[in-house]
Amino acid sequence: MALAARFLLITALVTVLYQSVFFVMAAALGIDTVTDFAGCSNFIIVAVLTVILHGSWYLRQIVLTVLVVIWGLRLGIFLLVRILQWGKDHRFDHMHNNKLRYSMFWVLQAIWVWTVSLPVTIVNASNENPVVHSGDILGWILWVIGFVTESIADQQKMRFKSDPQNKGRWCDTGLWGWSRHPNYFGEILLWWGIFIAATPVLNGFQWAVVAGPVFTTLILLFASGIPILEASAGKCYSGNAEYRRYKFVTSPLIPLPSILYGGLPGWFKTTFLFEFPLYSRKLSAD
């Protein structure tokens, strides 16, 4: 079996086992605090395990592994602290009495971890070590921009939500005045950065690891990311004229000045800036 295929099998088995352990623990104890931590820490395990197993310690392998570890530690700790403050994750309110449905969340989380980790897994399994060139540099730069954007956005929103004076309001300060979901923009950008930095060693079928950033992009744009939050906000603020204006002048994903975004035609927003009709379905219905 080729080394890359062996690494893919190992990471799949490790991920399934790791998520299964956390699923059993969460289901048995009826707790929500470990779900996001289990996902983020799994990324760290996959990256560190593969770089150790190969043992070549090429610069590209070390850099991408370190980037994943930094991302996983930052986001995992942030999400753990947040859920401990909240005390409950309402995403699972309708799942705890249906263990089959609850288990599907963990299955999807395992698929997410394994798929998004593909670029790092293949890099760490590669025997190729070309010199650092533009692809590496561009990927690292995109990762830094995405990581910083996501980190700042998360802290700004947490600080906003922690202020009692903001109870019942949507966050529109800092980066949130330029994008309705700047944290997701950062998340998408950093994983595309990881993929681009992996391209110097990709050959043949290995280019299929583009599934990693594509999966992240699609799930945030069309599944568990923006659509859910937009529907929730629409339900809460559909009768609020100020919120409707905020939504009209604020980009859904890519940070842009509101004075610029608000003046763009609707077709341009939809075609190039991801302002899809499903994000306004609740507002339209009301």
Side-chain angles (χ1 to χ4, degrees):
M1 182 185 296
L3 187 59
R6 189 157 63 243
F7 272 46
L8 292 175
L9 177 60
I10 291 171
T11 55
L13 293 174
V14 168
T15 298
V16 169
L17 177 61
Y18 192 72
Q19 294 302 313
S20 297
V21 169
F22 275 97
F23 162 66
V24 171
M25 180 172 63
L29 300 178
I31 57 176
D32 302 328
T33 53
V34 297
T35 51
D36 290 323
F37 177 80
C40 293
S41 57
N42 201 157
F43 278 96
I44 296 175
I45 290 172
V46 167
V48 173
L49 175 64
T50 52
V51 78
I52 291 176
L53 285 177
H54 195 273
S56 54
W57 306 105
Y58 297 145
L59 175 63
R60 186 174 289 102
Q61 296 172 338
I62 295 173
V63 170
L64 291 189
T65 298
V66 168
L67 295 184
V68 171
V69 170
I70 292 173
W71 168 85
L73 286 175
R74 202 287 306 176
L75 187 59
I77 293 172
F78 170 78
L79 294 175
L80 181 61
V81 170
R82 188 179 69 176
I83 193 60
L84 289 174
Q85 289 180 345
W86 289 356
K88 187 174 182 60
D89 192 332
H90 293 290
R91 291 179 300 174
F92 306 111
D93 287 347
H94 60 295
M95 295 187 189
H96 284 301
N97 293 327
N98 187 333
K99 291 297 186 285
L100 178 60
R101 189 172 184 179
Y102 188 49
S103 68
M104 287 307 300
F105 166 84
W106 293 90
V107 171
L108 292 174
Q109 179 152 278
I111 294 172
W112 168 60
V113 171
W114 186 82
T115 303
V116 177
S117 295
L118 284 174
V120 176
T121 300
I122 293 301
V123 167
N124 287 348
S126 178
N127 290 318
E128 297 190 26
N129 186 31
V131 296
V132 174
H133 61 68
S134 56
D136 297 283
I137 303 301
L138 176 59
W140 299 342
I141 291 173
L142 290 178
W143 184 91
V144 170
I145 295 172
F147 179 79
V148 170
T149 300
E150 184 178 38
S151 302
I152 292 174
D154 282 341
Q155 291 303 317
Q156 287 176 338
K157 189 168 187 178
M158 176 173 277
R159 189 161 56 246
F160 182 89
K161 292 291 187 181
S162 299
D163 188 343
Q165 294 183 355
N166 295 324
K167 185 177 182 180
R169 282 190 53 81
W170 59 94
C171 182
D172 59 357
T173 61
L175 290 175
W176 299 85
W178 286 49
S179 167
R180 303 200 301 271
H181 305 282
N183 53 334
Y184 289 161
F185 171 75
E187 179 79 357
I188 290 170
L189 190 64
L190 71 86
W191 284 113
W192 277 104
I194 292 286
F195 165 72
I196 291 172
T199 57
V201 304
L202 300 182
N203 294 294
F205 82 93
Q206 294 177 345
W207 282 90
V209 302
V210 72
V214 168
F215 187 88
T216 296
T217 303
L218 293 179
I219 203 168
L220 291 179
L221 288 179
F222 300 111
S224 66
I226 296 178
I228 291 177
L229 295 178
E230 290 287 324
S232 176
K235 183 178 180 180
C236 292
Y237 309 120
S238 60
N240 189 310
E242 189 178 348
Y243 173 74
R244 286 176 175 270
R245 182 184 179 282
Y246 165 74
K247 186 169 179 129
F248 180 77
V249 302
T250 308
S251 168
L253 185 69
I254 302 173
L256 290 171
S258 59
I259 191 171
L260 171 61
Y261 186 79
L264 295 173
W267 66 266
F268 188 91
K269 293 179 179 180
T270 301
T271 306
F272 299 107
L273 298 173
F274 310 107
E275 189 68 87
F276 301 122
L278 77 161
Y279 299 161
S280 299
R281 195 170 291 163
K282 185 61 183 175
L283 283 177
S284 300
D286 293 342

